[in-house]
Amino acid sequence: MSVTGKHHTLHTIAVAAPAATVYGIVADVTRWPQYFAPNVHVEHVEREPGSERIRIWATANGEVKAWTSRRELDAEKLTVTFRQEVSQPPVAVMGGRWAVTPVDEGHCTLELHHDFSAVDDDPAGERWITEAVDRNSAKELAAVKELAELGAELDELVFAFEDTVRIEAAGADVFDFLNRADLWPERLPHVARLDLREDVPGIQVMAMDTRAADGSTHTTESVRVVFGKDRIVYKQTTVPALMSAHTGAWTIAETDGGVYVTSRHTVTVRADAVERVLGEGRTVADARAYLHKALSTNSTTTLRHARAYAEGRRG
């Protein structure tokens, strides 16, 4: 429905998990890129008890959008209200509320309310926003349900690790190597193909074919957000079959005479693909070890070549 340009939507889902568990997933926005397909990256701008300002990068109808929101969290009422402070066209204003309603000790209902209007009440803009809200809300509710119903199993499926090297060179040269991913097919032996698009400065959308140690090739698609000259964060929007989510970051820290460069990965194993990909009888632990080795090998290879490139420029 619409009243003076304001539209309201409600999406709801039943969850076979305690209300407190569901609220915890909604409240911890830092893990949303790992949990929710549309979310690429989230950062806190301000944070205090019961209130936070966050910066979000997310996909909407195939486009990458970024905005700043204020969130108010009420753990007693099991609600999180949100309001975009700075929106991107075609959105003029956007807000809403997550609400968890207990049914019994092991079941609850999750509601996601949105209210919004389009710039100049443009009908095309309204349709674009409605389609994006419907698509993303359905994905987010389904993800919360799946995660909450996993219970303790979730802790086994999600894991993180990092690799760090010291490079005796200028951080700007290391950053140049990592930022110019379009040149990786020329610079990295495990990259067979890479298509990169940067329509908005600092937001890179790329598709890459990577060669594995066994000779197979894996295709991934990613969105990267570039921060200054010392950090690039990313989310794979298309992942290999053994994962359901993969996020990461490249960070550069200045030190005497050089820099420390770190590659960090956070991975969610797709449990129902483990035996299909790795073979009968293989476990989630096997999948974690396999993915850790594969990703770490690619990261350390990239870091070694970045070091050779940057130290060569210094020489």
Side-chain angles (χ1 to χ4, degrees):
M1 62 181 177
S2 175
V3 179
T4 63
K6 183 68 72 69
H7 296 256
H8 303 265
T9 64
L10 169 62
H11 298 82
T12 183
I13 197 167
V15 186
T21 299
V22 174
Y23 174 79
I25 293 171
V26 172
D28 186 4
V29 72
T30 62
R31 304 191 76 177
W32 280 18
Q34 199 66 32
Y35 290 163
F36 299 156
N39 291 100
V40 173
H41 184 63
V42 179
E43 291 198 350
H44 279 103
V45 180
E46 297 174 6
R47 195 175 191 181
E48 57 189 46
S51 180
E52 60 189 10
R53 290 181 67 229
I54 58 174
R55 183 74 173 158
I56 300 177
W57 289 259
T59 58
N61 291 345
E63 300 179 37
V64 181
K65 298 290 186 179
W67 63 89
T68 302
S69 289
R70 168 73 68 177
R71 301 208 322 160
E72 305 296 333
L73 299 89
D74 191 326
E76 287 191 12
K77 294 182 179 179
L78 301 176
T79 61
V80 177
T81 60
F82 56 90
R83 179 68 49 188
Q84 290 186 6
E85 294 183 348
V86 180
S87 301
Q88 278 199 8
V91 178
V93 295
M94 171 77 75
R97 178 170 57 95
W98 297 85
V100 186
T101 302
V103 176
D104 55 36
E105 288 187 0
H107 297 80
C108 63
T109 300
L110 175 61
E111 295 180 344
L112 178 52
H113 301 256
H114 283 92
D115 62 80
F116 62 86
S117 62
V119 174
D120 298 327
D121 292 331
D122 176 54
E126 292 171 354
R127 286 193 299 272
W128 189 97
I129 300 168
T130 300
E131 290 173 3
V133 167
D134 286 344
R135 182 179 296 108
N136 286 0
S137 295
K139 290 180 179 178
E140 290 172 353
L141 289 173
V144 174
K145 175 182 173 69
E146 180 181 1
L147 294 165
E149 293 179 355
L150 282 171
E153 185 182 350
L154 180 61
D155 293 334
E156 184 184 12
L157 296 176
V158 181
F159 69 102
F161 64 93
E162 58 186 37
D163 298 296
T164 300
V165 301
R166 178 181 168 86
I167 298 178
E168 306 289 340
D173 289 330
V174 177
F175 174 82
D176 177 69
F177 187 96
L178 298 174
N179 183 50
R180 290 299 306 273
D182 57 310
L183 299 179
W184 283 3
E186 306 167 19
R187 294 174 166 178
L188 297 173
H190 62 278
V191 177
R193 177 190 67 91
L194 195 147
D195 297 326
L196 185 143
R197 190 176 79 250
E198 190 170 352
D199 297 333
V200 177
I203 298 179
Q204 301 177 346
V205 180
M206 64 189 221
M208 179 170 65
D209 291 342
T210 304
R211 300 185 188 93
D214 60 7
S216 61
T217 300
H218 302 277
T219 299
T220 59
E221 296 181 356
S222 302
V223 176
R224 306 204 312 173
V225 183
V226 181
F227 294 93
K229 296 290 184 179
D230 61 359
R231 185 164 59 110
I232 299 172
V233 302
Y234 63 87
K235 174 165 183 177
Q236 287 190 344
T237 52
T238 299
V239 295
L242 199 52
M243 308 178 196
S244 59
H246 177 204
T247 60
W250 301 94
T251 56
I252 302 170
E254 298 284 344
T255 186
D256 291 340
V259 294
Y260 284 107
V261 188
T262 298
S263 170
R264 179 174 176 82
H265 300 270
T266 303
V267 177
T268 305
V269 176
R270 183 175 173 181
D272 62 359
V274 172
E275 290 193 320
R276 173 164 48 86
V277 175
L278 298 182
E280 187 176 353
R282 304 300 289 274
T283 66
V284 170
D286 295 322
R288 286 171 57 123
Y290 176 90
L291 290 169
H292 188 160
K293 181 179 179 181
L295 293 171
S296 184
T297 296
N298 287 346
S299 291
T300 53
T301 298
T302 301
L303 291 171
R304 285 200 311 271
H305 283 265
R307 178 167 55 195
Y309 171 83
E311 291 181 353
R313 289 177 65 85
R314 185 187 66 172

